[in-house]
């Protein structure tokens, strides 16, 4: 059995919720992309990370059905677990830092795979949304408090991999932050919290709480 950790990333203020993440600390036990894809599918988390160099922070990210060049909650989780100043992903070098109870990454919007950012008039509308048909990755959001930058969001990956709704998605939050050009405090899914902040020269920070589940 391949050893792996399970984290919850973007936990709520009281430590609950968050999106589960599988992390294989020794990526050499599953060196090939087919092996990794098969293991990610077996675990069934929205993403699984394989660590190829823990000191340099070299990681490889898979959903149950595809490999990703970059993803938010896997990078936040891996940065917290490895406690490194940066991560090396196929998309680029991701900055990382620890700040009290929060772990932050710094990345670029152009690294994020395509998403549809769909705004609704009220948070209640977002809460009442059914899972949409497959085929389109939708980030549904509405203002909870626009002056304060507080947002209600839900994420629907639209893939055929049993992940109908993603509990917390840092990459989509990064895209929304880049579009709005301001710091955000996002409540997503059942109760996860994602914090974001635009940075100079097109970078965006995304942060949250991480707990080791097992």
């Amino acid at each position: 059995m391949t050893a792996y950790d399970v984290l919850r990333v973007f936990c709520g203020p009281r430590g609950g919720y968050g999106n589960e993440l599988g992390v294989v600390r020794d990526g050499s036990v599953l060196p090939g992309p087919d092996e990794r894809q098969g293991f990610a599918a077996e675990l069934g988390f929205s993403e699984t990370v394989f660590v190829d160099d823990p000191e340099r922070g070299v990681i490889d990210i898979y959903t149950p059905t595809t490999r990703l060049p970059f993803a938010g909650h896997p990078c936040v989780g891996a940065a917290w677990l490895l406690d490194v100043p940066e991560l090396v992903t196929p998309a680029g070098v991701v900055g990382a830092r620890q700040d009290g109870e929060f772990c932050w990454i710094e990345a670029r919007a152009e690294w994020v795979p395509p998403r549809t950012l769909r705004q609704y008039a009220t948070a209640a509308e977002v809460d009442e949304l059914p899972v949409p048909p497959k085929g389109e990755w939708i980030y549904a959001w509405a203002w909870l408090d626009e002056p304060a930058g507080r947002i209600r969001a839900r994420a629907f990956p639209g893939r055929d991999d049993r992940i109908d709704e993603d509990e917390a998605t840092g990459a989509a939050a990064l895209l929304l932050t880049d579009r709005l050009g301001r710091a955000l405090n996002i409540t997503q899914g059942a109760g996860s919290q994602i914090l974001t902040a635009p940075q100079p020269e097109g970078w965006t920070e995304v942060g949250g709480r991480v707990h080791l589940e097992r």
Side-chain angles (χ1 to χ4, degrees):
M1 179 64 183
T2 301
Y4 64 97
D5 295 292
V6 179
L7 310 180
R8 285 186 293 111
V9 183
F10 299 127
C11 296
R14 297 183 180 179
Y17 307 106
N19 199 1
E20 285 190 314
L21 174 71
V23 181
V24 179
R25 296 201 201 203
D26 182 4
S28 66
V29 300
L30 294 170
D34 290 343
E35 297 170 281
R36 293 181 175 189
Q37 187 66 78
F39 190 67
E42 180 183 333
L43 291 185
F45 300 130
S46 58
E47 279 100 10
T48 297
V49 169
F50 299 85
V51 180
D52 290 318
D53 187 331
E55 294 184 0
R56 293 178 53 230
V58 180
I59 62 171
D60 197 15
I61 306 167
Y62 288 77
T63 76
T65 56
T66 191
R67 183 176 185 243
L68 297 177
F70 166 80
H73 105 274
C75 285
V76 172
W80 178 85
L81 187 66
L82 300 176
D83 193 19
V84 290
E86 63 183 29
L87 297 169
V88 180
T89 72
V93 177
V94 176
R97 66 183 178 91
Q98 310 289 335
D99 181 15
E101 63 181 320
F102 293 96
C103 179
W104 294 82
I105 62 165
E106 188 175 61
R108 305 187 67 83
E110 57 261 34
W111 296 350
V112 180
R115 306 276 193 269
T116 298
L117 305 179
R118 187 169 295 166
Q119 184 178 6
Y120 289 81
T122 67
E125 289 182 65
V126 174
D127 290 338
E128 294 166 3
L129 288 173
V131 175
K134 300 285 190 294
E136 185 179 14
W137 210 116
I138 297 171
Y139 197 59
W141 69 277
W143 290 109
L144 284 167
D145 182 340
E146 186 170 357
R150 294 180 56 239
I151 277 176
R152 171 70 176 124
R154 293 173 66 194
F156 305 101
R159 302 184 301 256
D160 190 16
D161 60 5
R162 305 188 306 279
I163 309 295
D164 292 331
E165 181 170 353
D166 219 347
E167 173 62 23
T169 51
L174 188 159
L175 276 184
L176 185 59
T177 303
D178 183 71
R179 174 180 291 185
L180 298 177
R182 57 177 297 184
L184 301 175
N185 182 343
I186 300 171
T187 300
Q188 186 178 322
S192 300
Q193 183 180 28
I194 305 169
L195 303 179
T196 69
Q199 301 297 310
E201 300 180 2
W203 293 87
T204 300
E205 277 200 320
V206 179
R209 302 174 189 85
V210 184
H211 288 180
L212 179 63
E213 193 164 89
R214 62 180 176 84

